[in-house]
PDB file of all heavy atoms in Angstrom:
ATOM      1  N   LEU A 264     -15.174   8.898   1.420  1.00 98.00           N
ATOM      2  CA  LEU A 264     -14.127   8.547   2.374  1.00 98.00           C
ATOM      3  C   LEU A 264     -12.822   8.383   1.591  1.00 98.00           C
ATOM      4  O   LEU A 264     -12.835   8.175   0.373  1.00 98.00           O
ATOM      5  CB  LEU A 264     -14.473   7.231   3.086  1.00 98.00           C
ATOM      6  CG  LEU A 264     -15.750   7.245   3.935  1.00 98.00           C
ATOM      7  CD1 LEU A 264     -16.095   5.830   4.384  1.00 98.00           C
ATOM      8  CD2 LEU A 264     -15.581   8.175   5.130  1.00 98.00           C
ATOM      9  N   THR A 265     -11.685   8.445   2.304  1.00 98.00           N
ATOM     10  CA  THR A 265     -10.391   8.329   1.614  1.00 98.00           C
ATOM     11  C   THR A 265      -9.523   7.251   2.268  1.00 98.00           C
ATOM     12  O   THR A 265      -9.476   7.124   3.492  1.00 98.00           O
ATOM     13  CB  THR A 265      -9.612   9.657   1.680  1.00 98.00           C
ATOM     14  OG1 THR A 265      -9.542  10.068   3.040  1.00 98.00           O
ATOM     15  CG2 THR A 265     -10.258  10.734   0.852  1.00 98.00           C
ATOM     16  N   LYS A 266      -8.845   6.513   1.416  1.00 98.00           N
ATOM     17  CA  LYS A 266      -7.894   5.499   1.891  1.00 98.00           C
ATOM     18  C   LYS A 266      -6.553   5.775   1.210  1.00 98.00           C
ATOM     19  O   LYS A 266      -6.512   6.106   0.015  1.00 98.00           O
ATOM     20  CB  LYS A 266      -8.379   4.099   1.529  1.00 98.00           C
ATOM     21  CG  LYS A 266      -7.349   2.992   1.749  1.00 98.00           C
ATOM     22  CD  LYS A 266      -7.948   1.622   1.422  1.00 98.00           C
ATOM     23  CE  LYS A 266      -6.935   0.512   1.589  1.00 98.00           C
ATOM     24  NZ  LYS A 266      -6.272   0.142   0.341  1.00 98.00           N
ATOM     25  N   LEU A 267      -5.472   5.611   1.961  1.00 98.00           N
ATOM     26  CA  LEU A 267      -4.131   5.783   1.402  1.00 98.00           C
ATOM     27  C   LEU A 267      -3.356   4.481   1.511  1.00 98.00           C
ATOM     28  O   LEU A 267      -3.258   3.895   2.593  1.00 98.00           O
ATOM     29  CB  LEU A 267      -3.380   6.879   2.178  1.00 98.00           C
ATOM     30  CG  LEU A 267      -1.938   7.135   1.715  1.00 98.00           C
ATOM     31  CD1 LEU A 267      -1.904   7.795   0.341  1.00 98.00           C
ATOM     32  CD2 LEU A 267      -1.181   8.001   2.730  1.00 98.00           C
ATOM     33  N   ASP A 268      -2.794   4.032   0.386  1.00 98.00           N
ATOM     34  CA  ASP A 268      -1.841   2.915   0.389  1.00 98.00           C
ATOM     35  C   ASP A 268      -0.443   3.512   0.434  1.00 98.00           C
ATOM     36  O   ASP A 268      -0.117   4.388  -0.381  1.00 98.00           O
ATOM     37  CB  ASP A 268      -1.975   2.079  -0.896  1.00 98.00           C
ATOM     38  CG  ASP A 268      -3.254   1.277  -0.945  1.00 98.00           C
ATOM     39  OD1 ASP A 268      -3.946   1.182   0.074  1.00 98.00           O
ATOM     40  OD2 ASP A 268      -3.557   0.736  -2.026  1.00 98.00           O
ATOM     41  N   THR A 269       0.402   3.024   1.346  1.00 98.00           N
ATOM     42  CA  THR A 269       1.740   3.607   1.466  1.00 98.00           C
ATOM     43  C   THR A 269       2.754   2.559   1.921  1.00 98.00           C
ATOM     44  O   THR A 269       2.391   1.569   2.551  1.00 98.00           O
ATOM     45  CB  THR A 269       1.734   4.795   2.463  1.00 98.00           C
ATOM     46  OG1 THR A 269       3.052   5.352   2.549  1.00 98.00           O
ATOM     47  CG2 THR A 269       1.281   4.377   3.851  1.00 98.00           C
ATOM     48  N   ASN A 270       4.022   2.845   1.589  1.00 98.00           N
ATOM     49  CA  ASN A 270       5.092   1.967   2.088  1.00 98.00           C
ATOM     50  C   ASN A 270       5.686   2.495   3.404  1.00 98.00           C
ATOM     51  O   ASN A 270       6.649   1.937   3.908  1.00 98.00           O
ATOM     52  CB  ASN A 270       6.188   1.782   1.026  1.00 98.00           C
ATOM     53  CG  ASN A 270       6.871   3.090   0.640  1.00 98.00           C
ATOM     54  OD1 ASN A 270       6.817   4.082   1.356  1.00 98.00           O
ATOM     55  ND2 ASN A 270       7.523   3.087  -0.520  1.00 98.00           N
ATOM     56  N   GLY A 271       5.133   3.563   3.922  1.00 98.00           N
ATOM     57  CA  GLY A 271       5.551   4.067   5.234  1.00 98.00           C
ATOM     58  C   GLY A 271       6.849   4.848   5.236  1.00 98.00           C
ATOM     59  O   GLY A 271       7.405   5.120   6.297  1.00 98.00           O
ATOM     60  N   SER A 272       7.316   5.255   4.065  1.00 98.00           N
ATOM     61  CA  SER A 272       8.628   5.911   4.000  1.00 98.00           C
ATOM     62  C   SER A 272       8.556   7.424   4.226  1.00 98.00           C
ATOM     63  O   SER A 272       9.586   8.086   4.241  1.00 98.00           O
ATOM     64  CB  SER A 272       9.280   5.636   2.637  1.00 98.00           C
ATOM     65  OG  SER A 272       8.465   6.143   1.603  1.00 98.00           O
ATOM     66  N   ASN A 273       7.348   7.964   4.404  1.00 98.00           N
ATOM     67  CA  ASN A 273       7.205   9.413   4.634  1.00 98.00           C
ATOM     68  C   ASN A 273       6.310   9.684   5.847  1.00 98.00           C
ATOM     69  O   ASN A 273       5.198  10.215   5.708  1.00 98.00           O
ATOM     70  CB  ASN A 273       6.610  10.084   3.390  1.00 98.00           C
ATOM     71  CG  ASN A 273       7.640  10.249   2.300  1.00 98.00           C
ATOM     72  OD1 ASN A 273       8.742  10.738   2.538  1.00 98.00           O
ATOM     73  ND2 ASN A 273       7.297   9.820   1.095  1.00 98.00           N
ATOM     74  N   PRO A 274       6.793   9.345   7.057  1.00 98.00           N
ATOM     75  CA  PRO A 274       5.922   9.500   8.237  1.00 98.00           C
ATOM     76  C   PRO A 274       5.474  10.932   8.485  1.00 98.00           C
ATOM     77  O   PRO A 274       4.371  11.150   8.983  1.00 98.00           O
ATOM     78  CB  PRO A 274       6.789   8.973   9.398  1.00 98.00           C
ATOM     79  CG  PRO A 274       8.183   8.943   8.881  1.00 98.00           C
ATOM     80  CD  PRO A 274       8.091   8.767   7.398  1.00 98.00           C
ATOM     81  N   GLU A 275       6.299  11.911   8.122  1.00 98.00           N
ATOM     82  CA  GLU A 275       5.901  13.305   8.372  1.00 98.00           C
ATOM     83  C   GLU A 275       4.687  13.673   7.505  1.00 98.00           C
ATOM     84  O   GLU A 275       3.746  14.322   7.972  1.00 98.00           O
ATOM     85  CB  GLU A 275       7.056  14.287   8.088  1.00 98.00           C
ATOM     86  CG  GLU A 275       8.183  14.248   9.110  1.00 98.00           C
ATOM     87  CD  GLU A 275       9.103  13.038   8.947  1.00 98.00           C
ATOM     88  OE1 GLU A 275       9.082  12.442   7.844  1.00 98.00           O
ATOM     89  OE2 GLU A 275       9.809  12.688   9.909  1.00 98.00           O
ATOM     90  N   ILE A 276       4.726  13.235   6.241  1.00 98.00           N
ATOM     91  CA  ILE A 276       3.590  13.519   5.359  1.00 98.00           C
ATOM     92  C   ILE A 276       2.360  12.761   5.836  1.00 98.00           C
ATOM     93  O   ILE A 276       1.250  13.303   5.896  1.00 98.00           O
ATOM     94  CB  ILE A 276       3.951  13.161   3.901  1.00 98.00           C
ATOM     95  CG1 ILE A 276       5.021  14.134   3.399  1.00 98.00           C
ATOM     96  CG2 ILE A 276       2.719  13.187   2.990  1.00 98.00           C
ATOM     97  CD1 ILE A 276       5.584  13.819   2.047  1.00 98.00           C
ATOM     98  N   LEU A 277       2.557  11.517   6.203  1.00 98.00           N
ATOM     99  CA  LEU A 277       1.435  10.715   6.702  1.00 98.00           C
ATOM    100  C   LEU A 277       0.802  11.388   7.922  1.00 98.00           C
ATOM    101  O   LEU A 277      -0.423  11.515   8.010  1.00 98.00           O
ATOM    102  CB  LEU A 277       1.968   9.315   7.063  1.00 98.00           C
ATOM    103  CG  LEU A 277       0.958   8.283   7.527  1.00 98.00           C
ATOM    104  CD1 LEU A 277      -0.106   8.030   6.465  1.00 98.00           C
ATOM    105  CD2 LEU A 277       1.677   6.966   7.877  1.00 98.00           C
ATOM    106  N   LYS A 278       1.652  11.841   8.825  1.00 98.00           N
ATOM    107  CA  LYS A 278       1.168  12.505  10.046  1.00 98.00           C
ATOM    108  C   LYS A 278       0.367  13.764   9.697  1.00 98.00           C
ATOM    109  O   LYS A 278      -0.727  13.987  10.226  1.00 98.00           O
ATOM    110  CB  LYS A 278       2.377  12.874  10.912  1.00 98.00           C
ATOM    111  CG  LYS A 278       2.041  13.479  12.264  1.00 98.00           C
ATOM    112  CD  LYS A 278       3.319  13.497  13.116  1.00 98.00           C
ATOM    113  CE  LYS A 278       3.053  13.994  14.517  1.00 98.00           C
ATOM    114  NZ  LYS A 278       3.055  15.411  14.675  1.00 98.00           N
TER     115      LYS A 278
END
Side-chain angles (χ1 to χ4, degrees):
L264 298 170
T265 52
K266 169 177 178 264
L267 178 70
D268 289 349
T269 181
N270 61 19
S272 60
N273 283 311
E275 288 76 19
I276 292 174
L277 184 59
K278 184 168 184 276

